[in-house]
Amino acid sequence: MTTSTFSSDTCSDATAAVVSGPAGDIRQRLWKLSRVEVRAVAIITSAEILRLEAIRVAAVDELALQPDEQVLCYRGVGRWLVANTMLQNAAGNRIAALGKALRAFPEITAQFDAGDLSFEHAALIVAFCESPPKGMPENALPHCLKTLLAAASGVEATTTKLRYAIAFLERIFESEDIPPAEDTDRNELRIAPTLNGRVVIKGDFDALTGEMLLSALSGLSMPRPATDGTPDQRSAAKRTADALTELIRRYLDNAATGVDGGQRPHLNVHIAAKDLAEHRECATKATSGDTDPVLDYDDLDVGHMPWLGPLSISRTQMLACDCILSMVLLDGNGAPLDVSPTKRLVTAAQRTALIARDKGCAFPTCDAVPAWCDAHHIKPWSNGGPTVMDNLTLLCRHHHTLMHRKTGFVGRWEIKMGDDHKPWFIPPPSIDPKQRPRRTTLRS
């Protein structure tokens, strides 16, 4: 199982007592621990949740295979679980469905039971294995499964990375099936009035529609300080609701739009020109025999959307038939070349190039999308730092503030541009005594 390691001092008796004890007075007990111990509690508890989730799925599936009188009273073991817990129907049915599906895939089951695979990632991998691309030969499935399990393993695993791996495999075998994320026939929107005169909205949309909606709402849902400088007190959900109201009002007025990250909101899809120009003979790379597929996450021949991630090559090519194409020149490492270094503020072309390279906040572990990011000079402009790609990176407002040394922060992060012309972050000794360079892996 992949988790962060702690010294014997970190996993103290007090830490163990908190993790294994009751939650009734948990806040008072946590207050007495050191910050290192509290971090240990959070990580150990998260690993324990994964372990317990695996036990619950296995127990529910055992009841599905051999139900007793109590379980038989319900329409399925998922409904029985809901009736005896605080879960909702959808969650109970998903647990029962995953348990049943795992019976056919012992490799997925083993990694899930070991606590090295989350519930959501196990469900994604099972869905791929149950309905593989039509062009994929049967002998390729074990190798594809190995690739997906590797992409979903460990603390750095993300749903975006796993979806990229799935999109890559679908691209290799040139499936003609519409990926679920792009199937517009599944789109639903329910708008229903409530008894108290309000309206409830519930929807399920394809990734492309979702990307357009998120892009349109982004600039309108930003926090807005009051005139006296007081921070915006609205929750994220309230700001999104207000943004939707404003979007509808503008459309009804004149279909006017706001500004998002310095540009009018529109759909952005990034893809290499060679992939857009023609279909590559990916079948020649199909996995067979003893060769495992090797994923180069920096050169996947699939489209990339800033908000929702991968988009199939076929849908990307369809969009290119009716769009404005912007060219970003890249070097051999896929890093954009410099444009206009003589001004302090980045140009629209430079921001486009930064988005193509960083795809959002470049700080390790951050998943902020480009619309929430500022262009940061690694060497300050005031100290002679030029406005060139090798001196620029995208940072969200939180990490931008952190790089300028947030008050109370011990030590200081540094950024150095690597030989690959991409930003690498060096943590302070208080976080990593060896100060090993890091870069984000969430969108890699």
Side-chain angles (χ1 to χ4, degrees):
M1 177 175 167
T2 304
T3 58
S4 297
T5 57
F6 294 94
S7 66
S8 58
D9 293 336
T10 303
C11 295
S12 62
D13 292 341
T15 299
V18 169
V19 173
S20 60
D25 59 345
I26 186 66
R27 297 185 184 276
Q28 288 80 0
R29 285 182 287 149
L30 285 174
W31 179 79
K32 299 177 182 178
L33 300 181
S34 69
R35 297 303 90 185
V36 174
E37 289 174 319
V38 174
R39 284 193 282 113
V41 168
I43 293 177
I44 294 171
T45 304
S46 297
E48 184 70 1
I49 289 172
L50 289 178
R51 186 183 72 85
L52 293 174
E53 184 71 87
I55 293 175
R56 180 168 64 177
V57 170
V60 169
D61 192 47
E62 178 64 23
L63 288 173
L65 291 171
Q66 301 186 55
D68 60 9
E69 290 84 352
Q70 290 196 36
V71 174
L72 289 172
C73 292
Y74 295 87
R75 289 187 294 113
V77 67
R79 293 296 182 94
W80 167 84
L81 182 64
V82 168
N84 289 274
T85 64
M86 298 176 67
L87 295 174
Q88 300 301 308
N89 283 335
N93 292 337
R94 288 182 68 225
I95 291 169
L98 180 60
K100 180 180 179 180
L102 286 175
R103 299 173 198 168
F105 304 103
E107 298 93 340
I108 305 176
T109 303
Q111 191 160 313
F112 179 61
D113 290 349
D116 199 25
L117 187 66
S118 70
F119 184 101
E120 291 76 12
H121 292 173
L124 279 173
I125 296 174
V126 164
F128 176 88
C129 294
E130 288 182 330
S131 301
K134 291 182 179 179
M136 188 178 78
E138 289 186 9
N139 64 345
L141 182 58
H143 305 287
C144 293
L145 177 56
K146 183 177 179 180
T147 296
L148 296 180
L149 288 174
S153 175
V155 295
E156 293 187 347
T158 65
T159 302
T160 298
K161 180 184 288 188
L162 180 58
R163 287 180 57 215
Y164 267 119
I166 292 173
F168 177 78
L169 294 175
E170 290 175 340
R171 173 72 175 102
I172 285 179
F173 298 107
E174 291 292 338
S175 171
E176 294 183 357
D177 295 339
I178 300 176
E182 298 173 16
D183 189 354
T184 57
D185 289 339
R186 301 188 184 192
N187 288 3
E188 294 180 339
L189 179 64
R190 294 184 175 90
I191 304 176
T194 65
L195 294 178
N196 63 356
R198 296 185 62 80
V199 172
V200 172
I201 301 176
K202 182 178 180 180
D204 181 9
F205 293 95
D206 63 286
L208 190 60
T209 302
E211 183 76 15
M212 290 188 290
L213 179 60
L214 290 170
S215 178
L217 292 176
S218 175
L220 300 174
S221 61
M222 291 288 188
R224 294 194 305 269
T227 53
D228 61 355
T230 304
D232 195 331
Q233 299 299 314
R234 296 176 298 165
S235 66
K238 179 66 168 71
R239 286 189 280 108
T240 302
D242 291 346
L244 180 61
T245 301
E246 179 64 17
L247 187 67
I248 296 171
R249 180 181 293 114
R250 293 188 184 192
Y251 173 77
L252 293 177
D253 288 345
N254 292 303
T257 59
V259 175
D260 179 5
Q263 296 179 330
R264 292 169 63 85
H266 54 281
L267 184 66
N268 289 286
V269 179
H270 301 140
I271 189 168
K274 59 184 175 63
D275 300 326
L276 183 61
E278 58 182 344
H279 281 287
R280 285 193 278 174
E281 295 298 325
C282 288
T284 61
K285 300 190 298 181
T287 305
S288 60
D290 296 328
T291 304
D292 292 332
V294 178
L295 292 180
D296 180 359
Y297 292 107
D298 285 331
D299 187 30
L300 294 186
D301 50 350
V302 292
H304 169 84
M305 297 183 294
W307 288 97
L308 293 176
L311 188 67
S312 71
I313 189 80
S314 57
R315 180 55 60 93
T316 305
Q317 289 176 322
M318 183 196 75
L319 292 174
C321 293
D322 182 23
C323 73
I324 299 174
L325 290 176
S326 299
M327 181 173 65
V328 179
L329 299 178
L330 308 177
D331 63 14
N333 295 308
L337 300 177
D338 289 319
V339 213
S340 193
T342 58
K343 295 188 176 182
R344 182 178 69 84
L345 299 178
V346 299
T347 64
Q350 284 176 315
R351 184 173 178 85
T352 299
L354 283 171
I355 292 173
R357 185 192 70 190
D358 296 343
K359 299 181 176 67
C361 181
F363 194 90
T365 73
C366 186
D367 59 359
V369 295
W372 298 349
C373 295
D374 303 326
H376 169 70
H377 283 76
I378 298 173
K379 180 181 180 181
W381 171 265
S382 57
N383 292 340
T387 307
V388 297
M389 294 302 299
D390 275 358
N391 193 47
L392 295 171
T393 187
L394 286 181
L395 293 176
C396 67
R397 187 56 54 85
H398 172 80
H399 288 118
H400 200 176
T401 302
L402 179 64
M403 295 310 300
H404 286 282
R405 191 161 188 173
K406 184 177 180 180
T407 302
F409 188 78
V410 179
R412 183 170 182 171
W413 286 77
E414 295 183 41
I415 309 177
K416 294 196 181 294
M417 196 61 63
D419 294 337
D420 55 359
H421 299 284
K422 296 178 182 179
W424 289 80
F425 293 74
I426 302 174
S430 60
I431 292 181
D432 181 3
K434 296 184 179 180
Q435 293 191 281
R436 289 164 290 199
R438 311 176 183 183
R439 60 182 295 247
T440 184
T441 59
L442 298 182
R443 293 172 294 269
S444 297

